[in-house]
C-alpha cells in the first residue's frame, strides 16, 4: 500500500539539511545497479554501458566512461568524461526508466514475517495462543538529493528530505536507516513510476552540481496482536516503522498494569499474570486487587464468595453470615448475639414524636397503642421497634418515609422474633390511615 501526499512545488531548503558525503565512485556504482546498467571500476574510471537491444528507447551513447578519482578528473584520459557529464548520462536514464533512483534502507524489514517473530517472542501467554489480527505495511517515501561536492570533485553530497520537502534530522536518518540504502530496480520498487515522478518534481534538479534524486522507501507497519485464552481474547495495537517496531505492552485494564505476561482468571478475563492471586477459600484464580479480606476468617478471598455485612460494614465470607431473627438481614456472625444483629439490639430509644416513629404512627394508627419506641437508621434501612406489654413489633422501611419492607414480631417474655409474611401485615398493623392528600 502506498501513501503519497499531493506534491507541493517547494525548493529544498538545503541549508538546514543534514549532509552526508560519499565517494563519487560508490555513488556511480549504486546508480548503475538501480538502473541495471553494467558498471566496471578500474584505475579511477567507471565504465558504464547497457545492452541497447534490451532498452530500445534509451538514447545513445550506449557506453560512457566517467572519471571518478581526483587525478583522473583533473586530467581525464582520452574519451573519459567529467563527473558532471557522466552523472547527467545516468540521470537521463533514471528519468526515462524509474522517474528517479529508488532505494530502501538495507536494514529494514520488508515483510510481516521478518518482524512478527520479534513481536511474538516478547509475550508469554498462559494456557493460550497469540496471533496477528491484521497487519498492513505502508510505504513512506523520503527524498535524497545528490550533488557533486564543491570542494572535491571525487565526492558527492547527499541531503535528505521528507515528502513535504522538510529536511530530515540526523537522529531520524539513523532511526530509519536512511543513510544505508540499497537500490531497488523497476521490478522491485513498491512505488509506481508516476508516484516517483510526482516526488521528483518537488526537487530542484536544475542545479549546476545536481547529480541525481533518490526516492528512499521506508516502511511502517500497522496492526494488532491478539491473545486467545479460553473463549476470551485481548488485543494490543502497534504502529511503527518496521525497522524500529517493538512489541507493545499489554495494558491490563482491571489491574492498571502494563505487562508482557498474560493469563486468564476464573471469570474468563485476560489480565496481567502478575496481578493474579488465588482465592484462599476456593483456590480459584482471581485478581489480587479484587480479593477481599473476610473479617471473620481473615482469608483473602474471591469477592463472589463474600458480601459486605450491612451492620458491621466489613467483608465476610457468605458462609460466615447468618440471618438476624429480628430484621431478617443476612449479617456477619460477628454481628449476631442471640440470633439478633447488633443494629436491632442496639436501637436507641426514641420519642413517639421523633420523625421516623411519628411517620409510622400516622400511617399505622395501631402503633399509637404502643408506649415505648426505639429507632435507628443503618444504610438505607430505617428500623423502628415498638414495645407493648406483651408484643413487640419491628418495622423496617426503605429509607425515611419509604415503603415498609419487613415486619417482625415477638410475643411474650420468652418469645423469639418471627417474620410476619406480607399477606398478614394488614391483620397485624390494621388498615393504613388514608393519605392526607
Ligand atoms: Zn437485625
Amino acid at each position: 500500500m502506498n501513501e503519497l501526499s499531493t506534491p507541493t512545488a517547494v525548493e529544498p531548503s538545503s541549508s538546514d539539511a543534514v549532509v552526508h558525503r560519499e565517494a563519487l565512485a560508490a555513488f556511480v556504482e549504486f546508480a548503475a545497479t538501480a538502473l541495471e546498467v553494467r558498471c566496471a571500476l578500474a584505475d579511477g574510471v567507471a565504465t558504464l554501458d547497457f545492452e541497447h537491444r534490451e532498452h530500445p528507447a534509451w538514447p545513445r551513447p550506449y557506453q560512457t566512461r566517467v572519471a571518478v578519482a581526483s587525478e583522473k578528473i583533473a586530467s581525464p584520459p582520452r574519451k573519459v568524461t567529467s563527473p558532471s557529464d557522466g552523472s547527467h548520462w545516468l540521470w537521463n536514464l533514471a528519468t526515462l526508466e524509474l522517474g528517479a533512483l529508488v532505494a530502501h534502507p538495507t536494514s529494514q524489514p520488508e515483510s510481516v514475517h521478518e518482524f512478527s517473530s520479534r513481536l511474538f517472542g516478547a509475550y508469554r501467554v498462559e494456557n493460550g495462543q497469540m496471533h496477528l489480527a491484521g497487519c498492513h505495511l505502508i510505504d513512506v517515501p523520503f527524498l535524497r538529493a545528490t550533488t557533486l561536492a564543491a570542494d572535491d570533485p571525487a565526492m558527492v553530497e547527499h541531503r535528505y528530505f521528507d515528502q513535504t520537502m522538510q529536511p530530515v534530522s540526523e537522529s531520524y536518518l539513523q532511526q530509519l536507516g536512511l543513510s544505508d540504502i540499497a537500490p531497488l530496480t523497476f521490478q522491485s520498487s513498491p512505488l509506481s513510476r508516476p508516484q516517483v515522478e510526482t516526488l521528483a518534481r518537488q526537487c530542484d534538479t536544475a542545479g549546476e552540481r545536481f547529480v541525481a534524486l533518490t526516492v528512499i522507501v521506508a516502511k511502517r507497519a500497522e496492526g494488532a496482536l491478539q491473545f486467545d485464552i479460553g473463549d476470551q481474547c485481548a488485543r494490543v495495537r502497534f504502529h511503527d516503522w518496521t525497522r524500529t517496531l517493538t512489541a507493545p505492552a499489554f495494558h491490563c485494564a482491571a489491574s492498571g498494569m502494563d505487562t508482557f505476561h498474560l493469563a486468564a482468571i476464573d471469570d474468563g478475563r485476560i489480565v496481567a499474570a502478575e496481578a493474579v492471586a488465588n482465592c484462599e477459600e476456593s483456590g480459584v484464580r482471581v485478581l489480587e486487587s479484587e480479593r477481599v479480606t473476610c473479617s471473620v476468617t481473615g482469608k483473602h478471598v474471591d469477592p463472589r464468595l463474600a458480601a459486605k455485612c450491612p451492620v458491621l460494614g466489613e467483608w465476610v465470607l457468605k458462609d460466615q453470615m447468618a440471618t438476624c431473627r429480628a430484621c431478617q438481614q443476612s449479617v456477619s456472625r460477628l454481628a449476631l448475639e442471640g440470633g439478633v444483629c447488633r443494629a436491632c439490639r442496639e436501637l436507641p430509644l426514641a420519642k413517639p414524636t421523633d420523625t421516623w416513629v411519628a411517620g409510622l404512627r400516622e400511617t399505622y394508627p395501631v402503633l399509637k397503642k404502643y408506649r415505648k419506641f426505639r429507632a435507628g437508621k443503618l444504610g438505607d434501612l430505617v428500623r423502628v421497634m415498638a414495645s407493648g406489654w406483651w408484643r413487640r413489633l419491628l418495622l423496617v422501611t426503605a429509607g425515611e418515609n419509604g415503603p415498609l419492607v419487613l415486619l417482625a414480631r415477638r410475643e411474650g417474655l420468652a418469645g423469639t422474633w418471627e417474620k410476619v409474611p406480607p399477606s398478614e401485615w394488614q391483620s397485624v398493623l390494621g388498615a393504613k390511615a388514608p393519605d392526607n392528600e
Side-chain angles (χ1 to χ4, degrees), residues 84-272:
S84 176
D85 287 348
S87 53
H88 182 76
W89 186 87
L90 278 167
W91 178 242
N92 191 29
L93 299 185
T95 52
L96 284 168
E97 189 67 15
L98 302 165
L101 299 175
V102 184
H104 67 150
T106 51
S107 52
Q108 167 175 279
E110 294 290 317
S111 62
V112 174
H113 81 263
E114 286 178 62
F115 59 80
S116 56
S117 57
R118 184 169 79 214
L119 293 180
F120 291 143
Y123 303 94
R124 208 174 123 206
V125 184
E126 285 184 18
N127 303 314
Q129 294 121 37
M130 64 188 122
H131 58 92
L132 275 174
C135 177
H136 68 275
L137 300 176
I138 301 157
D139 293 323
V140 182
F142 288 81
L143 300 168
R144 185 183 77 167
T146 305
T147 53
L148 292 170
D151 59 341
D152 183 350
M155 297 295 285
V156 293
E157 289 180 346
H158 302 302
R159 289 175 173 79
Y160 301 84
F161 305 91
D162 66 16
Q163 52 180 315
T164 64
M165 293 315 294
Q166 294 303 307
V168 177
S169 69
E170 181 65 43
S171 63
Y172 211 41
L173 278 178
Q174 296 308 324
Q175 191 187 338
L176 300 188
L178 298 181
S179 55
D180 182 11
I181 57 176
L184 291 167
T185 60
F186 196 67
Q187 286 75 28
S188 59
S189 167
L191 302 181
S192 68
R193 185 175 154 165
Q195 286 174 316
V196 174
E197 284 175 335
T198 300
L199 288 160
R201 270 201 297 277
Q202 298 177 63
C203 229
D204 175 21
T205 55
E208 208 177 283
R209 295 201 310 276
F210 175 79
V211 170
L213 186 69
T214 306
V215 175
I216 306 171
V217 184
K219 273 191 154 53
R220 287 185 71 81
E222 290 189 7
L225 286 160
Q226 181 168 318
F227 308 97
D228 297 324
I229 307 179
D231 56 3
Q232 300 277 320
C233 69
R235 285 186 177 189
V236 293
R237 303 199 62 79
F238 58 83
H239 45 87
D240 199 354
W241 301 102
T242 59
R243 194 167 182 273
T244 51
L245 177 65
T246 53
F250 166 71
H251 180 72
C252 168
S255 66
M257 283 184 180
D258 288 332
T259 186
F260 293 94
H261 186 181
L262 293 84
I265 53 175
D266 189 61
D267 64 11
R269 279 181 291 166
I270 296 174
V271 299

Side-chain angles (χ1 to χ4, degrees), residues 311 324-329 331 336 340-345 383 394:
V311 173
C324 166
R325 282 188 200 155
C327 68
Q328 307 295 314
Q329 273 189 295
V331 299
L336 287 170
V340 179
C341 79
R342 188 190 291 172
C344 293
R345 285 197 319 273
R383 290 169 168 79
L394 177 68

Side-chain angles (χ1 to χ4, degrees), residues 280-303:
E280 291 174 2
E281 178 71 8
S282 64
V284 303
R285 291 157 67 83
V286 291
L287 273 178
E288 184 171 19
S289 59
E290 289 178 358
R291 278 195 314 187
V292 294
T293 305
C294 171
S295 59
V296 176
T297 62
K299 286 181 180 173
H300 304 290
V301 302
D302 182 351

